[in-house]
């Protein structure tokens, strides 16, 4: 008899729905992709409907429903924190209380209403970090592994250590709120002028432009770090436990001024702050993982939680610690918790064994778990939009044409197959460019993504050629774009002294010294090489993403380069596109040159372009992240 398990995450950050059918992931999606609200935290009605439709079932057919954390325990933390910080916490407590009284404390009733009263079973609630741990271990390719979860906060836990064996996960150690690596990083995200729970990856991208000169202050004043990676935060510097802000006047005095205003000019101090908190974060991650390896003797490590998206820290763990391999849940944040609780129900509650994988493949189906659209649906949508397109049903000819566009420095929107689950575009909803182009990084940032010029892009490389370009240990892959690796020395270009360094004025070198490095060519793939000669690598193989692999193979055959620039198909503040309509609006609202959607090829010069008013309206609908 078929068993269907629905996993849900909602109400806090990045709501999602996941459907397991006899233990296999049938469908998974984040609500933001349908609602078009970045990090949508509301109940995932649309994502749920998609999962049911994909499996051809109704809510009444679901056997079990799991929720990714324990609301009552979380509410207990809210009460205890209010008491500990009273009376300073009163305003925050009064603002937080109504949603709890009207919904979160009565979550079974809320779920009943959301599921239209059609589900007649009981609800299961898992611990937040246990959901993270399950999402990391059960889909991984390992029979046994050490488990590390790191995020802002769940109920009380902010980090956990544990082990996975067979069909069981067991957490053995935890750190508790308010001592949190995720919240420390978010505090610096806020202080450097970016949006908390959204801009942390900007801080990571900004860090190589600076020097970690503030790291000693962090270690001396803000935290007491132990050898095992645990630490204590001095809360006199932080206000996130009792206020709507993140940092206190003491924090501002320590680091030399108030927080940077959002969208204001970046200074070298901001870059040095980013470098400093990144340095500290990597040290905590390394110590935690090293302690875990020493105490468990594990050969493999799996990771989840929002901090597991820190691919720079992940890369250092791979290169510096004696694990044979690591695997990171591609939907490492709260969305992945929906998968975690569903997996716990299948393996822990129902006792089903966990089969060994073959060829070290994981169980995520390449993270391609979202909606796909048939040719008829695609073309009907394009017709409704008034798009001008040409069909090329010969796949070989289509790949050759697209490879030619990319080799000619054209920017191509690539919309194929099932949408990705998690924050990364992996070759299904991607914007692609030639990584060899010296101008491609700035072109994509300023004219396609409408975002800051310092932001790096990821190289997608054929797995069999990855070692030529990137320093990845033997046997280690990065299929989900979650590892940063140095570019091989043989592919690097020696830095050219700036005009300023030679005593010559140059407007390109104006502004903070660190940002002057943006313009330098650093390797044979300059568009994908960050200022510190690193890259956030995606290794592409035929098993996980066959069509994207075929495109890279064709590009390699045409150009001799097995590397393409790959970034998510969206503009700043917008969720990754989901539907053909989303893709077409993004295509016509940016300076992309071509869109390949199914077998249809669309060229920009043949489309009716958005007016300036329409363009501003399109951009304004998404909140800046």
């Amino acid at each position: 008899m078929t068993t269907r398990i629905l996993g849900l995450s909602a109400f806090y950050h990045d709501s999602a729905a996941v459907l397991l059918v006899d233990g296999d992931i049938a469908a998974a999606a984040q609500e933001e992709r349908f609602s078009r609200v970045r990090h949508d935290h509301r109940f995932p009605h649309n994502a749920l409907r998609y999962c049911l439709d994909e499996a051809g079932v109704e809510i009444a057919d679901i056997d079990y429903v799991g929720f990714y954390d324990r609301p009552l325990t979380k509410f207990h933390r809210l009460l205890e924190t209010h008491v500990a910080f009273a009376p300073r916490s009163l305003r925050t407590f009064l603002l937080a209380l109504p949603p709890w009284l009207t919904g979160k404390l009565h979550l079974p009733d809320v779920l009943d209403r959301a599921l239209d009263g059609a589900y007649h079973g009981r609800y299961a609630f898992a611990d937040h970090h246990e959901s993270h741990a399950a999402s990391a271990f059960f889909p991984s390719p390992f029979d046994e592994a050490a488990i590390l979860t790191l995020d802002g906060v769940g109920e009380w836990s902010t980090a956990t250590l544990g082990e996975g064996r067979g069909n069981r996960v067991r957490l053995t150690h935890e750190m508790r709120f308010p001592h949190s690596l995720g919240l420390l990083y978010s505090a610096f995200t806020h202080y450097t002028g970016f949006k908390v729970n959204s801009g942390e990856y900007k801080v990571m991208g900004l860090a190589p432009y600076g020097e970690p000169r503030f790291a000693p202050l962090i270690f001396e004043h803000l935290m007491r770090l132990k050898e095992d990676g645990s630490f204590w935060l001095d809360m006199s510097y932080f206000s996130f436990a009792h206020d709507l802000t993140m940092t206190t006047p003491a924090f501002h005095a320590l680091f030399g001024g108030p927080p940077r205003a959002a969208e204001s000019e970046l200074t070298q101090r901001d870059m040095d702050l980013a470098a400093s908190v990144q340095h500290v974060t990597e040290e905590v991650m390394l110590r935690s993982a090293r302690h875990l390896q020493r105490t468990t003797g594990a050969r493999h490590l799996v990771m989840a939680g929002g901090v597991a998206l820190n691919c720079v820290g992940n890369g250092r763990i791979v290169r510096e610690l004696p694990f044979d391999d690591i695997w990171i849940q591609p939907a490492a944040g709260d969305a992945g918790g929906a998968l975690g609780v569903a997996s716990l129900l299948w393996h822990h509650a129902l006792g089903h064994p966990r089969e060994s994988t073959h060829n070290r493949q994981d169980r995520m189906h390449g993270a391609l778990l979202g909606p796909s659209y048939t040719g008829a649906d695609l073309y009907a949508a394009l017709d409704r939009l008034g798009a001008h397109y040409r069909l090329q049903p010969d796949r070989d000819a289509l790949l050759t044409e697209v490879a030619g566009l990319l080799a000619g420095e054209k920017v191509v929107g690539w919309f194929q197959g099932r949408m990705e689950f998690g924050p990364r575009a992996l070759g299904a909803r991607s914007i692609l460019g030639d990584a060899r182009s010296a101008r491609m990084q700035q072109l994509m940032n300023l004219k396609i993504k409408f975002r800051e010029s310092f932001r790096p892009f990821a190289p997608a490389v054929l797995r069999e050629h990855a070692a030529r370009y990137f320093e990845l240990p033997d046997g280690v892959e990065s299929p989900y774009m979650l590892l940063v690796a140095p570019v091989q020395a043989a592919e690097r270009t020696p830095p050219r002294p700036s005009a300023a360094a030679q005593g010559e004025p140059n407007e390109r070198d104006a502004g903070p010294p660190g940002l002057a490095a943006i313009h330098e060519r650093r390797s044979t793939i300059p568009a994908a090489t960050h200022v510190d000669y690193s890259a956030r690598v995606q290794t592409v193989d035929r098993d996980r993403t066959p069509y994207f692999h075929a495109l890279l193979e064709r590009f390699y055959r045409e150009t001799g380069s097995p590397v393409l620039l790959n970034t998510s198909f969206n503009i700043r503040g917008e969720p990754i596109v989901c539907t053909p309509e989303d893709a077409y609006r993004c295509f016509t609202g940016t300076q992309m040159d071509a869109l390949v959607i199914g077998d249809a090829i669309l060229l920009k010069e043949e489309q009716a372009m958005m007016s300036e008013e329409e363009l501003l309206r399109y951009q304004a609908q998404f909140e800046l992240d």
Side-chain angles (χ1 to χ4, degrees), residues 10-35:
F11 307 129
Y12 302 104
H13 185 70
D14 220 8
S15 296
V18 174
L19 183 62
L20 299 189
V21 177
D22 287 339
D24 185 57
I25 310 171
Q30 294 131 276
E31 183 67 7
E32 65 165 18
R33 306 294 169 83
F34 305 92
S35 67

PDB file of all heavy atoms in Angstrom, residues 10-35:
ATOM      1  N   ALA A  10       6.424  26.623   7.812  1.00  0.00           N
ATOM      2  CA  ALA A  10       5.599  27.824   7.623  1.00  0.00           C
ATOM      3  C   ALA A  10       5.710  28.738   8.825  1.00  0.00           C
ATOM      4  O   ALA A  10       6.142  28.335   9.908  1.00  0.00           O
ATOM      5  CB  ALA A  10       4.139  27.431   7.398  1.00  0.00           C
ATOM      6  N   PHE A  11       5.323  30.001   8.592  1.00  0.00           N
ATOM      7  CA  PHE A  11       5.065  31.012   9.620  1.00  0.00           C
ATOM      8  C   PHE A  11       6.306  31.706  10.169  1.00  0.00           C
ATOM      9  O   PHE A  11       6.176  32.618  10.980  1.00  0.00           O
ATOM     10  CB  PHE A  11       4.246  30.439  10.784  1.00  0.00           C
ATOM     11  CG  PHE A  11       2.983  29.764  10.340  1.00  0.00           C
ATOM     12  CD1 PHE A  11       2.686  28.488  10.771  1.00  0.00           C
ATOM     13  CD2 PHE A  11       2.114  30.388   9.461  1.00  0.00           C
ATOM     14  CE1 PHE A  11       1.517  27.858  10.355  1.00  0.00           C
ATOM     15  CE2 PHE A  11       0.955  29.766   9.037  1.00  0.00           C
ATOM     16  CZ  PHE A  11       0.655  28.495   9.480  1.00  0.00           C
ATOM     17  N   TYR A  12       7.498  31.300   9.760  1.00  0.00           N
ATOM     18  CA  TYR A  12       8.681  31.962  10.288  1.00  0.00           C
ATOM     19  C   TYR A  12       9.568  32.495   9.166  1.00  0.00           C
ATOM     20  O   TYR A  12       9.906  33.656   9.133  1.00  0.00           O
ATOM     21  CB  TYR A  12       9.465  31.013  11.204  1.00  0.00           C
ATOM     22  CG  TYR A  12       8.624  30.521  12.352  1.00  0.00           C
ATOM     23  CD1 TYR A  12       8.105  29.229  12.363  1.00  0.00           C
ATOM     24  CD2 TYR A  12       8.295  31.368  13.405  1.00  0.00           C
ATOM     25  CE1 TYR A  12       7.309  28.782  13.405  1.00  0.00           C
ATOM     26  CE2 TYR A  12       7.485  30.942  14.445  1.00  0.00           C
ATOM     27  CZ  TYR A  12       7.000  29.640  14.444  1.00  0.00           C
ATOM     28  OH  TYR A  12       6.186  29.223  15.459  1.00  0.00           O
ATOM     29  N   HIS A  13       9.962  31.642   8.232  1.00  0.00           N
ATOM     30  CA  HIS A  13      10.861  32.075   7.158  1.00  0.00           C
ATOM     31  C   HIS A  13      10.872  30.993   6.094  1.00  0.00           C
ATOM     32  O   HIS A  13      11.111  29.825   6.387  1.00  0.00           O
ATOM     33  CB  HIS A  13      12.274  32.298   7.704  1.00  0.00           C
ATOM     34  CG  HIS A  13      13.245  32.869   6.709  1.00  0.00           C
ATOM     35  ND1 HIS A  13      13.161  34.165   6.248  1.00  0.00           N
ATOM     36  CD2 HIS A  13      14.310  32.328   6.084  1.00  0.00           C
ATOM     37  CE1 HIS A  13      14.146  34.398   5.394  1.00  0.00           C
ATOM     38  NE2 HIS A  13      14.851  33.299   5.267  1.00  0.00           N
ATOM     39  N   ASP A  14      10.586  31.367   4.853  1.00  0.00           N
ATOM     40  CA  ASP A  14      10.755  30.455   3.729  1.00  0.00           C
ATOM     41  C   ASP A  14       9.871  29.211   3.844  1.00  0.00           C
ATOM     42  O   ASP A  14      10.344  28.086   3.972  1.00  0.00           O
ATOM     43  CB  ASP A  14      12.221  30.040   3.611  1.00  0.00           C
ATOM     44  CG  ASP A  14      12.683  29.987   2.163  1.00  0.00           C
ATOM     45  OD1 ASP A  14      11.916  30.406   1.281  1.00  0.00           O
ATOM     46  OD2 ASP A  14      13.810  29.538   1.907  1.00  0.00           O
ATOM     47  N   SER A  15       8.563  29.432   3.788  1.00  0.00           N
ATOM     48  CA  SER A  15       7.608  28.326   3.872  1.00  0.00           C
ATOM     49  C   SER A  15       7.765  27.394   2.682  1.00  0.00           C
ATOM     50  O   SER A  15       8.101  27.812   1.573  1.00  0.00           O
ATOM     51  CB  SER A  15       6.177  28.865   3.896  1.00  0.00           C
ATOM     52  OG  SER A  15       5.956  29.641   5.049  1.00  0.00           O
ATOM     53  N   ALA A  16       7.475  26.102   2.918  1.00  0.00           N
ATOM     54  CA  ALA A  16       7.623  25.116   1.857  1.00  0.00           C
ATOM     55  C   ALA A  16       6.737  23.915   2.137  1.00  0.00           C
ATOM     56  O   ALA A  16       6.285  23.690   3.264  1.00  0.00           O
ATOM     57  CB  ALA A  16       9.081  24.663   1.732  1.00  0.00           C
ATOM     58  N   ALA A  17       6.492  23.153   1.089  1.00  0.00           N
ATOM     59  CA  ALA A  17       5.781  21.880   1.190  1.00  0.00           C
ATOM     60  C   ALA A  17       6.595  20.821   0.469  1.00  0.00           C
ATOM     61  O   ALA A  17       7.191  21.083  -0.580  1.00  0.00           O
ATOM     62  CB  ALA A  17       4.389  21.978   0.581  1.00  0.00           C
ATOM     63  N   VAL A  18       6.618  19.617   1.043  1.00  0.00           N
ATOM     64  CA  VAL A  18       7.336  18.476   0.472  1.00  0.00           C
ATOM     65  C   VAL A  18       6.423  17.254   0.571  1.00  0.00           C
ATOM     66  O   VAL A  18       5.792  17.026   1.607  1.00  0.00           O
ATOM     67  CB  VAL A  18       8.653  18.204   1.227  1.00  0.00           C
ATOM     68  CG1 VAL A  18       9.320  16.925   0.710  1.00  0.00           C
ATOM     69  CG2 VAL A  18       9.602  19.389   1.105  1.00  0.00           C
ATOM     70  N   LEU A  19       6.374  16.473  -0.478  1.00  0.00           N
ATOM     71  CA  LEU A  19       5.569  15.258  -0.480  1.00  0.00           C
ATOM     72  C   LEU A  19       6.467  14.052  -0.723  1.00  0.00           C
ATOM     73  O   LEU A  19       7.167  13.979  -1.738  1.00  0.00           O
ATOM     74  CB  LEU A  19       4.487  15.320  -1.558  1.00  0.00           C
ATOM     75  CG  LEU A  19       3.527  14.122  -1.615  1.00  0.00           C
ATOM     76  CD1 LEU A  19       2.733  13.993  -0.320  1.00  0.00           C
ATOM     77  CD2 LEU A  19       2.590  14.235  -2.808  1.00  0.00           C
ATOM     78  N   LEU A  20       6.458  13.111   0.238  1.00  0.00           N
ATOM     79  CA  LEU A  20       7.127  11.834   0.074  1.00  0.00           C
ATOM     80  C   LEU A  20       6.094  10.781  -0.310  1.00  0.00           C
ATOM     81  O   LEU A  20       5.019  10.705   0.306  1.00  0.00           O
ATOM     82  CB  LEU A  20       7.821  11.384   1.364  1.00  0.00           C
ATOM     83  CG  LEU A  20       8.924  12.246   1.969  1.00  0.00           C
ATOM     84  CD1 LEU A  20       9.610  11.478   3.106  1.00  0.00           C
ATOM     85  CD2 LEU A  20       9.953  12.662   0.936  1.00  0.00           C
ATOM     86  N   VAL A  21       6.420   9.974  -1.295  1.00  0.00           N
ATOM     87  CA  VAL A  21       5.578   8.840  -1.674  1.00  0.00           C
ATOM     88  C   VAL A  21       6.427   7.584  -1.505  1.00  0.00           C
ATOM     89  O   VAL A  21       7.434   7.409  -2.214  1.00  0.00           O
ATOM     90  CB  VAL A  21       5.061   8.972  -3.116  1.00  0.00           C
ATOM     91  CG1 VAL A  21       4.243   7.739  -3.496  1.00  0.00           C
ATOM     92  CG2 VAL A  21       4.208  10.229  -3.257  1.00  0.00           C
ATOM     93  N   ASP A  22       6.064   6.766  -0.524  1.00  0.00           N
ATOM     94  CA  ASP A  22       6.836   5.574  -0.168  1.00  0.00           C
ATOM     95  C   ASP A  22       8.309   5.928   0.058  1.00  0.00           C
ATOM     96  O   ASP A  22       9.231   5.223  -0.372  1.00  0.00           O
ATOM     97  CB  ASP A  22       6.704   4.493  -1.245  1.00  0.00           C
ATOM     98  CG  ASP A  22       5.326   3.838  -1.225  1.00  0.00           C
ATOM     99  OD1 ASP A  22       4.641   3.904  -0.187  1.00  0.00           O
ATOM    100  OD2 ASP A  22       4.935   3.268  -2.256  1.00  0.00           O
ATOM    101  N   GLY A  23       8.528   7.045   0.733  1.00  0.00           N
ATOM    102  CA  GLY A  23       9.868   7.463   1.122  1.00  0.00           C
ATOM    103  C   GLY A  23      10.638   8.231   0.078  1.00  0.00           C
ATOM    104  O   GLY A  23      11.687   8.804   0.389  1.00  0.00           O
ATOM    105  N   ASP A  24      10.156   8.272  -1.164  1.00  0.00           N
ATOM    106  CA  ASP A  24      10.841   8.999  -2.225  1.00  0.00           C
ATOM    107  C   ASP A  24      10.274  10.415  -2.331  1.00  0.00           C
ATOM    108  O   ASP A  24       9.060  10.622  -2.153  1.00  0.00           O
ATOM    109  CB  ASP A  24      10.663   8.271  -3.560  1.00  0.00           C
ATOM    110  CG  ASP A  24      11.464   8.920  -4.672  1.00  0.00           C
ATOM    111  OD1 ASP A  24      12.690   9.036  -4.528  1.00  0.00           O
ATOM    112  OD2 ASP A  24      10.859   9.317  -5.684  1.00  0.00           O
ATOM    113  N   ILE A  25      11.144  11.383  -2.635  1.00  0.00           N
ATOM    114  CA  ILE A  25      10.674  12.770  -2.750  1.00  0.00           C
ATOM    115  C   ILE A  25       9.961  12.926  -4.085  1.00  0.00           C
ATOM    116  O   ILE A  25      10.590  12.951  -5.143  1.00  0.00           O
ATOM    117  CB  ILE A  25      11.833  13.772  -2.657  1.00  0.00           C
ATOM    118  CG1 ILE A  25      12.710  13.486  -1.444  1.00  0.00           C
ATOM    119  CG2 ILE A  25      11.288  15.202  -2.574  1.00  0.00           C
ATOM    120  CD1 ILE A  25      13.994  14.313  -1.406  1.00  0.00           C
ATOM    121  N   ALA A  26       8.636  13.045  -4.030  1.00  0.00           N
ATOM    122  CA  ALA A  26       7.847  13.200  -5.254  1.00  0.00           C
ATOM    123  C   ALA A  26       7.799  14.645  -5.710  1.00  0.00           C
ATOM    124  O   ALA A  26       7.762  14.928  -6.912  1.00  0.00           O
ATOM    125  CB  ALA A  26       6.431  12.673  -5.031  1.00  0.00           C
ATOM    126  N   ALA A  27       7.783  15.582  -4.758  1.00  0.00           N
ATOM    127  CA  ALA A  27       7.660  17.001  -5.096  1.00  0.00           C
ATOM    128  C   ALA A  27       8.087  17.832  -3.892  1.00  0.00           C
ATOM    129  O   ALA A  27       7.884  17.427  -2.738  1.00  0.00           O
ATOM    130  CB  ALA A  27       6.234  17.352  -5.498  1.00  0.00           C
ATOM    131  N   ALA A  28       8.666  19.002  -4.177  1.00  0.00           N
ATOM    132  CA  ALA A  28       9.067  19.927  -3.117  1.00  0.00           C
ATOM    133  C   ALA A  28       9.164  21.317  -3.715  1.00  0.00           C
ATOM    134  O   ALA A  28       9.704  21.485  -4.814  1.00  0.00           O
ATOM    135  CB  ALA A  28      10.407  19.521  -2.500  1.00  0.00           C
ATOM    136  N   ALA A  29       8.661  22.315  -3.000  1.00  0.00           N
ATOM    137  CA  ALA A  29       8.708  23.686  -3.516  1.00  0.00           C
ATOM    138  C   ALA A  29       8.521  24.676  -2.383  1.00  0.00           C
ATOM    139  O   ALA A  29       7.880  24.385  -1.371  1.00  0.00           O
ATOM    140  CB  ALA A  29       7.631  23.899  -4.581  1.00  0.00           C
ATOM    141  N   GLN A  30       9.086  25.862  -2.577  1.00  0.00           N
ATOM    142  CA  GLN A  30       8.916  26.962  -1.636  1.00  0.00           C
ATOM    143  C   GLN A  30       7.751  27.841  -2.077  1.00  0.00           C
ATOM    144  O   GLN A  30       7.535  28.059  -3.275  1.00  0.00           O
ATOM    145  CB  GLN A  30      10.198  27.789  -1.580  1.00  0.00           C
ATOM    146  CG  GLN A  30      11.384  27.055  -0.999  1.00  0.00           C
ATOM    147  CD  GLN A  30      12.627  27.187  -1.854  1.00  0.00           C
ATOM    148  OE1 GLN A  30      12.826  26.449  -2.818  1.00  0.00           O
ATOM    149  NE2 GLN A  30      13.489  28.149  -1.506  1.00  0.00           N
ATOM    150  N   GLU A  31       7.049  28.367  -1.112  1.00  0.00           N
ATOM    151  CA  GLU A  31       5.871  29.180  -1.403  1.00  0.00           C
ATOM    152  C   GLU A  31       6.240  30.438  -2.182  1.00  0.00           C
ATOM    153  O   GLU A  31       5.464  30.921  -3.010  1.00  0.00           O
ATOM    154  CB  GLU A  31       5.167  29.548  -0.098  1.00  0.00           C
ATOM    155  CG  GLU A  31       3.883  30.340  -0.260  1.00  0.00           C
ATOM    156  CD  GLU A  31       2.757  29.551  -0.924  1.00  0.00           C
ATOM    157  OE1 GLU A  31       2.923  28.329  -1.142  1.00  0.00           O
ATOM    158  OE2 GLU A  31       1.703  30.157  -1.203  1.00  0.00           O
ATOM    159  N   GLU A  32       7.421  31.001  -1.940  1.00  0.00           N
ATOM    160  CA  GLU A  32       7.818  32.242  -2.596  1.00  0.00           C
ATOM    161  C   GLU A  32       7.773  32.143  -4.117  1.00  0.00           C
ATOM    162  O   GLU A  32       7.537  33.134  -4.798  1.00  0.00           O
ATOM    163  CB  GLU A  32       9.220  32.650  -2.161  1.00  0.00           C
ATOM    164  CG  GLU A  32      10.315  31.681  -2.603  1.00  0.00           C
ATOM    165  CD  GLU A  32      11.713  32.267  -2.495  1.00  0.00           C
ATOM    166  OE1 GLU A  32      11.897  33.271  -1.791  1.00  0.00           O
ATOM    167  OE2 GLU A  32      12.636  31.711  -3.136  1.00  0.00           O
ATOM    168  N   ARG A  33       8.018  30.957  -4.659  1.00  0.00           N
ATOM    169  CA  ARG A  33       8.082  30.809  -6.113  1.00  0.00           C
ATOM    170  C   ARG A  33       6.711  31.023  -6.751  1.00  0.00           C
ATOM    171  O   ARG A  33       6.628  31.420  -7.913  1.00  0.00           O
ATOM    172  CB  ARG A  33       8.622  29.431  -6.494  1.00  0.00           C
ATOM    173  CG  ARG A  33       9.958  29.093  -5.855  1.00  0.00           C
ATOM    174  CD  ARG A  33      11.083  30.003  -6.356  1.00  0.00           C
ATOM    175  NE  ARG A  33      12.281  29.844  -5.551  1.00  0.00           N
ATOM    176  CZ  ARG A  33      13.189  28.899  -5.708  1.00  0.00           C
ATOM    177  NH1 ARG A  33      13.030  27.984  -6.648  1.00  0.00           N
ATOM    178  NH2 ARG A  33      14.251  28.865  -4.928  1.00  0.00           N
ATOM    179  N   PHE A  34       5.666  30.763  -6.003  1.00  0.00           N
ATOM    180  CA  PHE A  34       4.307  30.917  -6.523  1.00  0.00           C
ATOM    181  C   PHE A  34       3.720  32.282  -6.158  1.00  0.00           C
ATOM    182  O   PHE A  34       3.069  32.926  -6.974  1.00  0.00           O
ATOM    183  CB  PHE A  34       3.404  29.805  -5.974  1.00  0.00           C
ATOM    184  CG  PHE A  34       3.926  28.428  -6.244  1.00  0.00           C
ATOM    185  CD1 PHE A  34       4.739  27.778  -5.321  1.00  0.00           C
ATOM    186  CD2 PHE A  34       3.619  27.765  -7.426  1.00  0.00           C
ATOM    187  CE1 PHE A  34       5.230  26.506  -5.567  1.00  0.00           C
ATOM    188  CE2 PHE A  34       4.106  26.491  -7.684  1.00  0.00           C
ATOM    189  CZ  PHE A  34       4.913  25.860  -6.748  1.00  0.00           C
ATOM    190  N   SER A  35       3.946  32.725  -4.917  1.00  0.00           N
ATOM    191  CA  SER A  35       3.369  33.993  -4.455  1.00  0.00           C
ATOM    192  C   SER A  35       4.149  35.189  -4.978  1.00  0.00           C
ATOM    193  O   SER A  35       3.635  36.306  -4.989  1.00  0.00           O
ATOM    194  CB  SER A  35       3.366  34.030  -2.924  1.00  0.00           C
ATOM    195  OG  SER A  35       4.684  34.091  -2.407  1.00  0.00           O
TER     196      SER A  35
END
